Amino acid sequence: MKNINFVLIFVIASAFLSASCEKMVMEPNMPETYEGRPVNEEGTVYVSDKKIILNIWAKSATDTDIITLVVNNKVVLSEFTLGGAGNKKELSLKMDNEGYNYILLYINDPGNVSPTEAMVTIDDGTGGQEMTLTADLTYCGATNIYVQ
């Protein structure tokens, strides 16, 4: 019986410790290239929560850009056709890390105008921060998202 209690306490303690350990990334973790294209860092956004709401839309309403959005090397939006401000795409995301994360814009089709300029807002529950990500068929645009 003592062995069973010990094993049970050990399992519970291990589960608690692994669940409570946050991954802290102190240096930017953005890749230098993505799908063979160089990645241009376009700034850093600071948020207070790992859970964010991201909205993305085309800066120019007349274009038909097709994009893929990547967060920390995970595709969160694939081959999406950007529209103007009336056609915002909203994503609820949870950042993987305390500290540095990143969001990357990959262009599948630049539409009629290149480079593609995508408007992005990131809201951590305390208010939205707006930015522009720019990319074309020769490079990707990306920004750091730092969870404080």
Side-chain angles (χ1 to χ4, degrees), residues 85-134:
N87 187 33
K88 291 181 182 179
K89 177 67 175 177
E90 183 174 290
L91 302 168
S92 295
L93 302 171
K94 183 175 181 186
M95 298 294 99
D96 295 334
N97 310 315
E98 294 289 334
Y100 282 96
N101 300 269
Y102 70 88
I103 181 171
L104 181 144
L105 178 67
Y106 177 87
I107 303 303
N108 301 95
D109 184 334
N112 302 321
V113 179
S114 188
T116 295
E117 292 185 313
M119 299 301 298
V120 176
T121 58
I122 294 176
D123 189 344
D124 63 358
T126 63
Q129 300 176 63
E130 189 172 281
M131 73 194 81
T132 303
L133 286 176
T134 305

Side-chain angles (χ1 to χ4, degrees), residues 19 22 25 43 46 52 54 72-73 88-89 92 99-100 111 115 143:
E22 297 281 337
V25 178
Y46 295 88
I52 63 168
L54 182 143
N72 293 339
N73 209 35
K88 291 181 182 179
K89 177 67 175 177
S92 295
Y100 282 96
T143 191

